Every structure is written in structure tokens, then in C-alpha cells.
Amino acid sequence: MPLLIGREASVAAVDAALDGTRELLLVAQRSADINVPAPADLYRVGVRARVQQVTRGTNGTTKILVDAIERVRLVRPTVARATVQHGPRLEARYEPMPFTRAPKQAQVDSTRARIRHALNLFEEYTALQRRLPPEIVGVLQAIEQEDRLAFGIAAHLHVPVEQRQALLAAESLDDLATQLVNLLAAELELLKLERRIDEQVRGSLFQNQRDFFLQEQLRAIHRELGQEDGDEFEDLAQQIASRGLPEAVATRAQRELRRLKRSAPTSPDAAVSRGWLDWVLALPWSQRTTDTTDLEVARASLEGDHYGLEEIKERILDHIAVLARVGHLPGPILCLVGPPGVGKTSLGRSIASALGRKFVRMALGGVRDEAEIRGHRRTYIGALPGRILQAMRRAESVNPVILLDEIDKLGSDYRGDPAAALLEVLDPEQNAAFNDHYLEVDYNLSQVLFVTTANSLAGIPEALRDRMEIIRLPGYLEPEKLAIARRFLVPKQLALHGVPVERVHIDDVVLQAIIRSYTREAGVRDLERRLARVSRKLARRSWTDDSSANITVDELPALLGPAPHTPEEHSLSDQVGVAAGLAYTATGGELLEIEVSVVPGRGRLQLTGTLGDVLKESAAAALSYIRARASALGLSPDFHRTRDIHVHLPAGATPKDGPSAGIALATALASALTGIPVRGDVAMTGEVTLRGRVLPIGGVREKGVAAHRHLLTHVIIPQGNAKDLAELPAEVREGLTWHTVRTMDDVLDLALRTPPRAAAAGSGGGRAEAAVVMPDSAVLT
């Protein structure tokens, strides 16, 4: 066996042995931590060995090859002795320690059987112990002496020094064989248990380790090919440090990175952590765009994109002026309410252009899941942040303009109410710490300019409506539509259809004819479709005729077909039992004709025209008012018992509801019952009570535009809506005569051609018998 000698005393003992008998006593220490052992630190049983070869190392160590001769017992305490030639060394006297012979043959056979059993156990031990070469078993099997075989087995056991020393100090061969069998049996149990645990662990980790090794090999291949982009984890750490994350977010990101490093690349936890880190690093935390502070540049940008819409333009210019002074201003929450086609969505893009910010549009129509706004928890498969943070990722800045389109079209079901989730987003006092369910960290939305659009405020919850600054966009007037068509729509459609603008001339008379006869809308969407159809026809003509084209009014039927609307649809003549009411719909203001027919009967009130409950209640309240004022109107007190009253609102396929038709219903009833015509140039809106009071309503701006569009000259509104006249466009406010009323008597004095009280006085207060003229010229008595 080769031995390495390093201590000075041991080297001196080797040198002394080489000068003499070349024999050494090899004794083990009780503790390997003692550098200079005392006699009590050494075992008493050792081995006498002969030095066969000595090799001197360059680092001061000596390697000797020894051959054991016999085991011995030290009979005297070990003493230190020094000589001039070799220095201090340890010497001791010894005596041989042979095995005691067994007195009986049966004991000899038992010992031989134990040694053979020990050899069999050692063969199994060698198969389980990876540090032993399998050739050892063959070498030991070739040994014939039983004592040498027993010591050969003991020499190759990987057990502590104490157990090896006990084997060396066995009194008899039978005692040594017994100890070997017991020790091997115990070691085999431990090795089998280790092998079983190792197989279990290896079975569960084999797939992950295989994938890991393949990934490492693939990474090494990419590195050799020059395709390695660097350490993935190092890149993530650099991005976390350079992205300007808030302290709390950076701490969370570093924790997720450490978790990712500890996870196997193919484990689900690794995919979740990597996805979370990707989203955090993709979001803008400190990146921002520089706001435009030049008011003239912003004004030019707004004017170049949209015609009119002065209120919203002034609001944006005010915001820019404040930004120029204070440098930072929490983004306002604007809500643009108006009919379709007036430019609400495109106005959001113009606002972003005027401010010099990024623009992102989010369509909320039909969204019914709260998680669409707040995101999903990371425990769900395929979880993602909500649409708000997705919009911020697309914007790549902390101060974009985000347009929440069609906010009044949100729905709700068992998955939650998205409108409730928007309460935090659209609250300037809360959105500085918006918490998405996926990220689970606060994100600052206070620098975002949110712009929402809606066709009607009725579909927006009150709590959400309170958080927004409402800006109403009324329908366009005819001059505004004409200007928009001339400046924007005609050049756009001609260019889209490949028709040179300079070769086509469409004058204002033609555009007015298209607006009046082919469109009936508050916006310009249908107008643009009509102009697109004209452009397609012109593009088709250009294949056969390259000359310039001047479109005339006479050509419109050939280009667009028969006109669906005629200017004479609403008659301005006076009619009995017909009153013009003004209604507000999702498409803007509309003129609502109310027809009343009175025929002999038993006092039945019939309402037709797809009316809602509120409108039916308004009709009942109007009839009660007429009955209460029967004497003042020249009607007999029991007129309601002898006549049937039929109230009809045309366009029966369109649902109609609301209280604002109350005074129009009462006027039509009064006209039909008294026979006094209603002025054809008067339109009215307002809620009526049983006592005849006129209450304010909403949508005056849109209703005024509708009255102006139908060429009416007088409009009756409640006194409570007088303040709304200031918001009307100048052309509508000045082109119409506005009358404010407090009671229904005031309405009848203005709306009926002859004041009912004068007519009643002329008839002597008796029963009025008059012809009721219906719109179809049928005369009823």
C-alpha cells in the first residue's frame, strides 16, 4: 500500500528505517486533528511493515510503498528519540500479536463458514459501493489463507477508523470473521437504502435534468456558433437595474429573478416568473414623452383635424397652457358625449397629436368581465394583465392619451362589473396606485390623459359619471357639414378611390343637396358613405373618359339613387291635433310629431307607436291636465266620457320613451279637443305635471340642432333650461326664436294659433264642436 509521509518525525523514522532494517511500525492516531501526538493519542495495536520504495516529493512530502508483515502490540509507551543523523522521531517496543487458535474442529469450521459468508457479502458490497473496483473481488477470491482473506476484506471497507481499528485488534480469527459479517450486513443495508433513495430521486429528476443538460448543450452550441446573446439572468438583472423601477417593484423583481434562477427551465414556476418579469420590464415606469407647450402649434393641429367642436378644443388648449406653467399636471378624465359620427374617436387621436403624446385606443363595447380591466391572477393558466396595462405597454410612455371608446356599452354578468373596476382607473385621487391582479404591484396612472366616449350618459353608472368631466358634442349643423365635406371628406374619398382631386368639381349646391336629401343624421358618417359612393362612380367613369367632371344636382339620382328624404317631410303648416315635439336619442336630436285623433266614444285613451312607460305616463298626465282645465279651454266637464282619444307617435318600429314630450302631448290633446290648430313653425320640449307646471329636461343642445335642421323658427323650452341656451351654437341660438315657459297655459298661448282662453270666451264657455283635421286630410266631426 502506498503512504504519504509529511510530518518531520515520521520522515525521520522513515530515514532511520532506510539506514537499518527498512522496517516501520504503522500505528493510527485516535484523533487526526493532533499534529504532535503524545503516547496516549495512539492506538496500541498496529502493523509491522517493510519499506519497499521511497519517492521524495518537491513539496516536502515523501511517498513510500510498504508491505505489511504482521500485526503487533506495543508493549512499552512510545517515546521520542532524536539522533544527529535523522532528527526527532518516535520509537516503541512491540510484540507479535498472532490469532489464538480454536481448540475444536467445530469452531474452525464455523470460522471458515463466516469468512466465506463475509466474502459473499463483500462481493455484494463491492457491487453497491461505487468507489471500489470490481477486480478486488477476484483478487481476494484467489487468497487461500483465511487470515489474509479476512484482513483483505477488512482493508477495503469504507468505514470509520474506529471500526477499522477494532477489526485490526480482534483477538481471534473467529472474532474477526464475526465482526466482518456484522459490519458488512449493516453497511449493505445502508447502501441498499441509499441506492433506493437515489433511484427515487433520480426517477423524479431525470426528465428535468435531461432537459437542463440539453439546454446547456444547446447554449454551448450557440456559443460556439457565435449566436449566444449572453447570460439570460445577467441580462434580466441589468434590465431591472436600468429600467428605473420604483423601489418596491425593483425589490419584487429581484426576488422573482432569484426564484427563476432556482427553478428548472421547464418547470411551470419558471414560466410564470419569466412571464411576470417580461411584463414588468416591458411596462413604462419612468419613460415619458415631452408635452407640447406651444399653444399655436397645438391649435393648428386641432383645427387641421376637426372643424368646429370649439368647447373641447378650448379645454385642451387650457390644459396645455397650465402644463406650460406648472410643468406637471395630473391627467384629467374627459368624457365626450355625442351622437355617432361627430368625430369623438378621431378627436382623441387629435388630442394626442396636439399634446405630442402617444395614443392608444381601447374598445370597451361588449366587455363583460372585470378581469379584462384588472387582469387575472397569476395562478390561472394563460393569465395576463388587464387592458389598461396592456395599453400602457403599447404606449411605451407613462403619459399617453388613452381613449376608452364606447364606455356606455359596458356590460356585467357573473364575472363582475367592468364599470366598477374602472372606478379606480378613472379617479385622479386613486389611479396613482392602480393595482392590477396580475402584477400585484402599484402602477402610477396619474400622468395618463384618459378620454372616454359615449353616445348617451344613460348607460354610464352614476359613480363612474361623477369621476369624469362631461363634454357634450352636439350634432353638426348644415353649414358645418358642408365645411367638413368640402375640407375633409371629399378630398379623402377621392384620394382613396384613385380619382384626381383637380379633375373633379363638386360645388356647394351639390353637397347641400346630398346633405338634405340623402342624409338625416347628427354626424357625418352617412355623408361620408354617400361621398364614397360618388367617388366609386367617378372612378368607374375614368376608365372610359379621362376628362374633368363637374357633378350637378341633376346627376345625383344616377349616382346615388332616389333620394330617401325630402325637405317637405315635415310640414310647416298649421294642423289640428298635430304638435312637433323634440326628442333626444343616441343618434342626436330628432323631431317627433305627435298626432291626436278625437272620435265619439266612451272616454277610452289609446296610445300607439311603441311607447315606453314614462311616455305613457306623460300622456295620462297631459290628459288629466286638460280635464282639469276643461272650462278654461271651452270644453264641457264630461267631454272625456263621450269621446275616445287616440294618441299616436309615427315611426312605430322605433321605441320611444322619456318625459320631455309632455308639453307636446298636452298641446296636441288641447288642439284636437278644441279644434284650434297648432302652429306649424313651433317645436317644443318639456315635462308636464298634473297641475300644469313645466319642468326642465335634458338634451337642449341636441334638440335645438334638430329644430334648426328641420327649418323651424320657434322653440318652446322650460324656464329651468334657460341657462342651457348659452351652450348652443351661435347659428342655432340666433336662427331660432326661443320661448321659455313656466306653465302649460304659457305653452298653449304660444303654440296654438288662437289662444284657447280667447276662443273659449268667444264661444261663451259652452261645449266646443270643431272639425279635427288629421295629417292625411281626413275630416272628423
Side-chain angles (χ1 to χ4, degrees):
M1 176 177 292
L3 300 175
L4 290 176
I5 306 299
R7 295 176 181 174
E8 293 182 0
S10 299
V11 173
V14 171
D15 293 339
L18 292 176
D19 291 342
T21 62
R22 300 181 69 89
E23 291 186 356
L24 289 172
L25 287 180
L26 305 179
V27 183
Q29 284 184 212
R30 297 182 183 274
S31 176
D33 297 333
I34 302 174
N35 193 29
V36 183
D41 299 326
L42 304 176
Y43 286 104
R44 305 289 292 177
V45 178
V47 175
R48 181 169 66 93
R50 180 176 290 105
V51 179
Q52 300 291 346
Q53 184 179 352
V54 178
T55 304
R56 305 289 182 177
T58 57
N59 55 355
T61 61
T62 300
K63 182 178 180 180
I64 62 175
L65 186 66
V66 296
D67 185 14
I69 300 174
E70 63 178 346
R71 66 175 184 160
V72 297
R73 184 193 305 273
L74 303 185
V75 297
R76 289 185 181 179
T78 304
V79 297
R81 175 175 298 180
T83 61
V84 177
Q85 294 93 351
H86 307 109
R89 65 183 184 275
L90 294 179
E91 290 187 354
R93 298 185 65 83
Y94 67 92
E95 62 180 7
M97 189 179 174
F99 286 128
T100 58
R101 296 294 180 181
K104 297 180 181 180
Q105 185 64 33
Q107 187 70 25
V108 174
D109 296 338
S110 176
T111 300
R112 184 178 295 110
R114 284 193 177 91
I115 292 176
R116 289 182 179 179
H117 183 49
L119 181 60
N120 295 332
L121 293 177
F122 181 76
E123 184 177 359
E124 187 176 356
Y125 175 83
T126 305
L128 296 176
Q129 181 60 262
R130 299 184 181 91
R131 289 178 290 181
L132 289 177
E135 295 82 6
I136 293 295
V137 178
V139 174
L140 294 178
Q141 289 175 346
I143 298 176
E144 298 180 356
Q145 297 88 347
E146 295 175 352
D147 55 348
R148 288 182 59 84
L149 176 60
F151 279 124
I153 294 174
H156 292 90
L157 295 180
H158 291 275
V159 294
V161 176
E162 293 81 2
Q163 293 180 346
R164 296 167 66 87
Q165 185 67 34
L167 293 174
L168 180 65
E171 294 294 335
S172 63
L173 183 59
D174 184 70
D175 184 22
L176 176 59
T178 302
Q179 290 188 46
L180 281 175
V181 170
N182 294 336
L183 185 59
L184 282 169
E187 288 295 316
L188 281 174
E189 288 298 326
L190 290 176
L191 288 175
K192 290 178 180 178
L193 181 59
E194 290 179 0
R195 173 66 64 86
R196 187 161 55 250
I197 294 174
D198 182 65
E199 289 177 352
Q200 292 175 356
V201 174
R202 181 177 299 178
S204 60
L205 297 180
F206 175 75
Q207 184 63 35
N208 290 338
Q209 291 177 347
R210 175 180 175 274
D211 295 342
F212 175 76
F213 290 144
L214 291 176
Q215 291 287 348
E216 290 297 324
Q217 291 176 357
L218 184 61
R219 188 176 291 109
I221 293 173
H222 283 290
R223 190 182 301 113
E224 292 297 328
L225 294 175
Q227 300 174 355
E228 180 66 25
D229 296 331
D231 188 4
E232 177 184 11
F233 299 134
E234 182 179 353
D235 292 343
L236 290 175
Q238 292 177 356
Q239 292 184 46
I240 293 173
S242 62
R243 290 289 290 176
L245 305 179
E247 183 178 355
V249 180
T251 302
R252 176 70 180 276
Q254 292 170 357
R255 184 165 68 248
E256 288 291 337
L257 180 58
R258 291 193 295 269
R259 180 182 178 184
L260 179 61
K261 290 180 179 179
R262 294 193 299 266
S263 303
T266 57
S267 67
D269 290 341
V272 171
S273 297
R274 180 56 192 266
W276 188 89
L277 284 172
D278 288 341
W279 268 103
V280 168
L281 296 176
L283 287 173
W285 296 93
S286 57
Q287 300 81 7
R288 57 180 296 115
T289 56
T290 303
D291 291 328
T292 299
T293 56
D294 191 332
L295 289 178
E296 295 304 323
V297 174
R299 184 188 300 275
S301 177
L302 291 173
E303 292 293 343
D305 293 337
H306 289 83
Y307 181 84
L309 307 178
E310 297 301 330
E311 182 180 356
I312 182 62
K313 292 179 181 178
E314 291 297 325
R315 179 64 181 84
I316 297 304
L317 293 176
D318 293 343
H319 183 76
I320 295 175
V322 175
L323 277 178
R325 285 187 171 274
V326 301
H328 173 70
L329 183 66
I333 313 297
L334 305 179
C335 181
L336 308 181
V337 181
V342 296
K344 299 185 298 296
T345 303
S346 60
L347 189 57
R349 186 175 288 103
S350 298
I351 292 173
S353 177
L355 290 171
R357 297 187 179 186
K358 300 290 185 65
F359 174 76
V360 180
R361 174 183 172 270
M362 286 175 49
L364 297 181
V367 174
R368 308 179 67 86
D369 190 356
E370 179 186 354
E372 292 284 338
I373 306 299
R374 284 191 172 276
H376 299 79
R377 300 287 183 185
R378 286 198 294 165
T379 54
Y380 295 104
I381 297 176
L384 286 174
R387 292 195 179 190
I388 299 297
L389 290 190
Q390 293 180 29
M392 295 301 298
R393 179 176 181 174
R394 295 198 303 270
E396 300 179 347
S397 68
V398 297
N399 61 334
V401 174
I402 296 182
L403 178 71
L404 305 179
D405 211 3
E406 306 293 349
I407 196 173
D408 57 331
K409 306 300 189 301
L410 284 173
S412 62
D413 57 12
Y414 65 93
R415 293 169 292 186
D417 187 1
L422 284 175
L423 292 178
E424 181 183 4
V425 177
L426 300 181
D427 190 345
E429 300 298 328
Q430 301 181 33
N431 61 12
F434 173 68
N435 194 283
D436 187 273
H437 288 164
Y438 181 84
L439 289 189
E440 296 179 338
V441 294
D442 291 340
Y443 190 85
N444 187 1
L445 295 174
S446 62
Q447 301 181 59
V448 180
L449 174 57
F450 286 101
V451 180
T452 66
T453 68
N455 296 130
S456 173
L457 292 177
I460 304 176
E462 183 64 30
L464 186 59
R465 191 189 318 167
D466 182 64
R467 285 164 165 78
M468 300 185 293
E469 179 180 347
I470 307 299
I471 299 178
R472 295 185 178 274
L473 277 64
Y476 291 117
L477 303 176
E478 183 177 312
E480 293 175 327
K481 290 183 179 180
L482 184 62
I484 292 172
R486 189 189 312 112
R487 290 177 51 181
F488 301 101
L489 302 183
V490 171
K492 173 185 174 182
Q493 292 301 323
L494 291 177
L496 285 177
H497 294 84
V499 180
V501 178
E502 63 277 3
R503 291 170 52 187
V504 177
H505 177 69
I506 304 177
D507 58 16
D508 292 350
V509 177
V510 176
L511 294 177
Q512 287 178 347
I514 296 176
I515 293 170
R516 292 176 180 176
S517 302
Y518 288 89
T519 65
R520 186 63 58 87
E521 58 176 346
V524 292
R525 192 167 289 159
D526 193 22
L527 175 59
E528 185 172 10
R529 282 193 290 265
R530 300 291 179 175
L531 293 174
R533 183 173 179 180
V534 172
S535 300
R536 289 194 297 271
K537 297 292 185 181
L538 295 177
R540 182 178 176 184
R541 288 183 183 179
S542 65
W543 283 98
T544 57
D545 186 4
D546 293 337
S547 61
S548 300
N550 293 326
I551 306 300
T552 62
V553 176
D554 297 334
E555 293 182 88
L556 291 181
L559 296 173
L560 299 176
H565 309 290
T566 57
E568 294 78 17
E569 281 186 355
H570 173 68
S571 175
L572 297 179
S573 61
D574 302 343
Q575 300 184 68
V576 176
V578 180
L582 294 173
Y584 174 73
T585 67
T587 59
E590 291 292 340
L591 188 67
L592 190 66
E593 286 191 347
I594 299 174
E595 302 175 351
V596 177
S597 173
V598 179
V599 295
R602 298 181 180 180
R604 186 168 63 97
L605 176 62
Q606 183 179 2
L607 305 173
T608 57
T610 316
L611 309 183
D613 293 337
V614 177
L615 193 54
K616 292 178 181 179
E617 293 170 358
S618 297
L623 181 59
S624 297
Y625 164 76
I626 298 297
R627 292 176 57 186
R629 300 287 293 168
S631 59
L633 296 175
L635 301 175
S636 63
D638 60 346
F639 75 91
H640 60 284
R641 297 179 181 176
T642 60
R643 300 186 183 184
D644 287 344
I645 301 175
H646 185 178
V647 179
H648 178 69
L649 277 69
T654 304
K656 294 169 279 292
D657 200 5
S660 60
I663 65 173
L665 284 166
T667 301
L669 284 170
S671 172
L673 290 169
T674 62
I676 303 174
V678 180
R679 294 178 55 179
D681 59 349
V682 174
M684 61 197 75
T685 180
E687 181 179 358
V688 67
T689 68
L690 292 176
R691 293 179 294 171
R693 291 189 302 121
V694 180
L695 302 182
I697 40 76
V700 174
R701 190 172 184 174
E702 290 79 6
K703 294 174 181 178
V705 172
H708 186 275
R709 186 167 62 241
H710 287 83
L711 306 179
L712 298 172
T713 56
H714 296 271
V715 179
I716 300 174
I717 62 173
Q719 180 66 35
N721 292 113
K723 62 182 183 299
D724 298 329
L725 296 178
E727 299 180 1
L728 291 171
E731 186 173 355
V732 175
R733 187 172 59 251
E734 298 170 1
L736 296 172
T737 302
W738 296 86
H739 305 276
T740 58
V741 295
R742 296 181 180 274
T743 65
M744 192 62 211
D745 292 340
D746 299 335
V747 175
L748 296 179
D749 290 342
L750 293 170
L752 298 182
R753 177 57 64 184
T754 304
R757 282 170 285 200
S763 63
R767 179 174 178 178
E769 296 288 346
V772 180
V773 180
M774 298 303 295
D776 57 0
S777 300
V779 178
L780 302 176
T781 58

